[in-house]
């Protein structure tokens, strides 16, 4: 859905997928962890992923349902902070997606 290559690995017996990040810049990376001790939830912590551009946000939201997720809120203008959309991922978590307004 995010149209980015992730590196799959296992750490301490649990499968993980790592988002790419540039170690020499201010980019932020991260990982998705699958674990029997964790339970997907629509009521847990809400994480927002910044997709950079409005075009990236629109493309990601368009791929949600074909990737096994559910669109909860389409692209919505939230003023100065930009745009957001809300999804339920294929595991059952609620995730926010964000993009800044284009530069004028």
């Amino acid at each position: 859905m995010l149209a980015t290559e992730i590196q799959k690995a296992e750490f301490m017996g649990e499968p993980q997928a790592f988002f790419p990040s540039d170690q020499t810049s201010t980019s932020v990376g991260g990982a998705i962890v699958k674990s029997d001790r964790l339970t997907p939830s629509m009521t847990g912590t809400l994480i927002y992923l910044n997709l950079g551009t409005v075009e990236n946000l629109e493309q990601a939201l368009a791929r949600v349902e074909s990737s096994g997720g559910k669109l909860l809120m389409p692209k919505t203008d939230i003023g100065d902070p930009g745009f957001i959309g809300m999804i339920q991922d294929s595991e059952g978590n609620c995730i926010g997606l964000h993009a800044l307004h284009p530069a004028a």
Side-chain angles (χ1 to χ4, degrees):
M1 183 217 34
L2 296 176
T4 189
E5 292 290 323
I6 56 175
Q7 180 182 356
K8 294 180 181 181
E10 191 170 295
F11 181 70
M12 296 181 65
E14 297 178 334
Q16 301 189 20
F18 297 91
F19 289 100
S21 84
D22 180 352
Q23 300 295 325
T24 62
S25 72
T26 58
S27 68
V28 175
I32 301 171
V33 178
K34 182 177 181 181
S35 174
D36 290 338
R37 60 190 168 80
L38 302 172
T39 304
S41 171
M42 286 290 292
T43 59
T45 301
L46 176 60
I47 302 293
Y48 275 90
L49 301 174
N50 187 322
L51 303 186
T53 68
V54 174
E55 181 180 32
N56 289 347
L57 173 62
E58 291 169 344
Q59 290 173 357
L61 292 173
R63 289 189 295 268
V64 169
E65 292 186 358
S66 65
S67 298
K70 181 178 178 183
L71 182 63
L72 302 174
M73 178 195 307
K75 181 183 85 173
T76 302
D77 190 331
I78 56 170
D80 287 342
F83 296 90
I84 61 169
M86 303 289 291
I87 67 165
Q88 180 179 14
D89 71 10
S90 58
E91 286 72 36
N93 298 294
C94 185
I95 298 172
L97 304 176
H98 173 262
L100 293 172
H101 280 280

